[in-house]
C-alpha cells in the first residue's frame, strides 16, 4: 500500500488558523482522529493508518505549529500555542468534516492536546488513547534530576526566544535526527525515508523551530494554569482511556502510566507497555494498530 494511499490531503481554515490534514479510510466507519507529537508530523501514523483504514474514518492532521499547518509567531503569554488552542483547532476541524463526536489517539504532544480536548470538549470525545505520556502537570510536579536529564528538552525549549531557536538553528537537521533517535528508541532506522523528509520540511526552518519552542513554552506556563484550574474544579477525563507506553522509554522508567492516568480519569483506564522506545507508532506499527482497533471497537 502506498504512502497514505486512499487519503485526501488539504488545508483547512479553522479556529482562525490553517490546519493541514489527511482524511481517509471507510466513510461509513467511526471517525478516529490521530495526533502526532514533537518533533514530527502526521507522517508518524502512516503504517498504523494502513492497518486501520478498513475499520475507521481517519483524520490525521499536523498540529498547529508543525508540518504543513500554520506556524504563527508566539503570543506574549504563549496562549496561541496552548493545548486549549490546539484542541479547539481540532474540534473545529472535525466539526467541519461532519464529525461531532469521535475517537482520539495522541502520541507525545498530540496526547497532551488530546487530554485537553477531552477536558474542554467532553461531549466530542467518545474514547481516548494516549501514547507514552502521563499528564503534563504530573510530570512537572515530579521533576527530579533523573527526569530533567532524560527530558532536558522540556527545560531547554522553554527558555526565552531567541536562545533555543538560535542554537537549534545552527544545525536543525542534526538536532532533529538526534532527537528522533533518543528516549529509548535506539537510532532512527525505524523511520521511513518519506516520513523523515516530512519531519525535516516541517521542523528545519526558523518558523518550525520557533513554533516547536512555543509549544513547550506554553506547556510550562499557560497550560499549567489551565491544568491547575481543571484540577481545582474537579475536572477529569470522563470517557474510557487506554494508555500505551514504550518499555524502554522514560515514561516507563520514571512514572506510573496506569496509576497516573487513573488519577486523571473517571472512565475506565486500561493499557500496557509495548516493546519500543518513545516513538511507538513507527517502532511498532502492527501492535499499535491492533491495540487501537481493539480498544476503539470494544
Amino acid at each position: 500500500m502506498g504512502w497514505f494511499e486512499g487519503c485526501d490531503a488539504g488545508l483547512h481554515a479553522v479556529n482562525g488558523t490553517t490546519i493541514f490534514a489527511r482524511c481517509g479510510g471507510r466513510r461509513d466507519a467511526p471517525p478516529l482522529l490521530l495526533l502526532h507529537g514533537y518533533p514530527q508530523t502526521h507522517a508518524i501514523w502512516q503504517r498504523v493508518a494502513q492497518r486501520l483504514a478498513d475499520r475507521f474514518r481517519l483524520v490525521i492532521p499536523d498540529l498547529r505549529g508543525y508540518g504543513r499547518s500554520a506556524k504563527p509567531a508566539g503570543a506574549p503569554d504563549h496562549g496561541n500555542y496552548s493545548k486549549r488552542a490546539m484542541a479547539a483547532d481540532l474540534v473545529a476541524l472535525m466539526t467541519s468534516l461532519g464529525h461531532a463526536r469521535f475517537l482520539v489517539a495522541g502520541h507525545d504532544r498530540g496526547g497532551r492536546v488530546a487530554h485537553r480536548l477531552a477536558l474542554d470538549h467532553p461531549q466530542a470525545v467518545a474514547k481516548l488513547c494516549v501514547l507514552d505520556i502521563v499528564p503534563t502537570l504530573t510530570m512537572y510536579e515530579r521533576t527530579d534530576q533523573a527526569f530533567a536529564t532524560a527530558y532536558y528538552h522540556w527545560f531547554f525549549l522553554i527558555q526565552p526566544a531567541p536562545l533555543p531557536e538560535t542554537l537549534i538553528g545552527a544545525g536543525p537537521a542534526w538536532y532533529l535526527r538526534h532527537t528522533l533517535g533518543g528516549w529509548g528508541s535506539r537510532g532512527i532506522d525505524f523511520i521511513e525515508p518519506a516520513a523523515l523528509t516530512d519531519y525535516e520540511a516541517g521542523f528545519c526552518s526558523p518558523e518550525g523551530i520557533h513554533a516547536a519552542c512555543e509549544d513547550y513554552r506554553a506547556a510550562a506556563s499557560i497550560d499549567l494554569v489551565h491544568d491547575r484550574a481543571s484540577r481545582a474544579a474537579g475536572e477529569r477525563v470522563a470517557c474510557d482511556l487506554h494508555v500505551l507506553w514504550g518499555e524502554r522509554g522514560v515514561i516507563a522508567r520514571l512514572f506510573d502510566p496506569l496509576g497516573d492516568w487513573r488519577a486523571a480519569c473517571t472512565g475506565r483506564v486500561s493499557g500496557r507497555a509495548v516493546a519500543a522506545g518513545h516513538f511507538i507508532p513507527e517502532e511498532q506499527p502492527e501492535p499499535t494498530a491492533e491495540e487501537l482497533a481493539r480498544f476503539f471497537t470494544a
Side-chain angles (χ1 to χ4, degrees), residues 40-52:
Q40 297 174 299
T41 70
H42 73 282
I44 191 175
W45 293 109
Q46 198 272 140
R47 283 180 281 181
V48 173
Q50 291 176 0
R51 292 166 170 83
L52 297 179

Side-chain angles (χ1 to χ4, degrees), residues 161-246:
L163 176 62
E165 286 94 335
T166 301
L167 296 177
I168 296 170
W174 180 90
Y175 181 86
L176 174 72
R177 289 166 183 254
H178 173 79
T179 300
L180 293 169
W183 307 319
S185 293
R186 298 178 178 174
I188 62 171
D189 289 345
F190 61 89
I191 301 175
E192 293 185 69
L196 184 58
T197 297
D198 205 61
Y199 303 154
E200 290 177 340
F203 180 79
C204 297
S205 69
E207 296 79 12
I209 295 167
H210 173 70
C213 292
E214 284 297 303
D215 178 10
Y216 279 83
R217 289 175 182 132
S221 56
I222 189 67
D223 287 345
L224 295 181
V225 172
H226 295 158
D227 289 349
R228 291 186 178 114
S230 290
R231 178 187 286 180
E235 296 172 359
R236 299 164 74 188
V237 174
C239 64
D240 290 351
L241 182 148
H242 193 61
V243 54
L244 300 175
W245 61 94

Side-chain angles (χ1 to χ4, degrees), residues 21-24 31-35 57-61 93-94 97 99:
R22 295 187 189 270
C23 304
L32 170 57
L33 178 66
L34 298 174
L35 304 177
R57 182 60 180 167
L58 301 175
V59 180
I60 318 173
L93 172 66
M94 295 300 280
L97 296 171
H99 308 309

Side-chain angles (χ1 to χ4, degrees), residues 34-290:
L34 298 174
L35 304 177
H36 69 88
Y38 167 88
Q40 297 174 299
T41 70
H42 73 282
I44 191 175
W45 293 109
Q46 198 272 140
R47 283 180 281 181
V48 173
Q50 291 176 0
R51 292 166 170 83
L52 297 179
D54 63 342
R55 306 186 72 171
F56 300 95
R57 182 60 180 167
L58 301 175
V59 180
I60 318 173
D62 288 338
L63 297 173
R64 176 190 293 227
Y66 290 88
R68 298 170 176 84
S69 290
K71 301 175 178 64
D77 69 347
H78 315 297
N80 60 333
Y81 281 92
S82 70
K83 306 310 157 289
R84 174 162 287 163
M86 291 185 178
D89 293 344
L90 301 172
V91 169
L93 172 66
M94 295 300 280
T95 299
S96 75
L97 296 171
H99 308 309
R101 186 168 169 82
F102 45 89
L103 309 162
V104 187
H107 172 255
D108 188 79
R109 312 306 290 177
R112 303 187 190 286
V113 175
H115 182 199
R116 177 45 61 185
L117 196 162
L119 292 176
D120 286 358
H121 307 274
Q123 75 288 346
V125 182
K127 286 185 175 182
L128 171 63
C129 180
V130 293
L131 288 81
D132 215 52
I133 67 165
V134 299
T136 303
L137 182 56
T138 300
M139 294 177 73
Y140 270 120
E141 287 180 338
R142 295 194 199 152
T143 294
D144 58 12
Q145 183 176 351
F147 174 63
T149 301
Y151 269 23
Y152 79 94
H153 65 295
W154 274 44
F155 308 94
F156 169 54
L157 299 177
I158 69 176
Q159 299 304 311
L163 176 62
E165 286 94 335
T166 301
L167 296 177
I168 296 170
W174 180 90
Y175 181 86
L176 174 72
R177 289 166 183 254
H178 173 79
T179 300
L180 293 169
W183 307 319
S185 293
R186 298 178 178 174
I188 62 171
D189 289 345
F190 61 89
I191 301 175
E192 293 185 69
L196 184 58
T197 297
D198 205 61
Y199 303 154
E200 290 177 340
F203 180 79
C204 297
S205 69
E207 296 79 12
I209 295 167
H210 173 70
C213 292
E214 284 297 303
D215 178 10
Y216 279 83
R217 289 175 182 132
S221 56
I222 189 67
D223 287 345
L224 295 181
V225 172
H226 295 158
D227 289 349
R228 291 186 178 114
S230 290
R231 178 187 286 180
E235 296 172 359
R236 299 164 74 188
V237 174
C239 64
D240 290 351
L241 182 148
H242 193 61
V243 54
L244 300 175
W245 61 94
E247 64 182 23
R248 299 193 304 271
V250 175
I251 297 299
R253 189 167 79 248
L254 300 180
F255 297 93
D256 175 12
L258 288 176
D260 291 338
W261 280 111
R262 285 177 178 142
C265 186
T266 59
R268 291 175 295 178
V269 175
S270 57
R272 72 174 184 89
V274 179
H278 177 62
F279 298 100
I280 297 170
E282 286 178 301
E283 294 181 65
Q284 293 286 358
E286 186 168 352
T288 301
E290 289 174 354

Side-chain angles (χ1 to χ4, degrees), residues 1 11 17 90 173 182 209:
M1 188 174 182
L11 296 171
T17 191
L90 301 172
I209 295 167

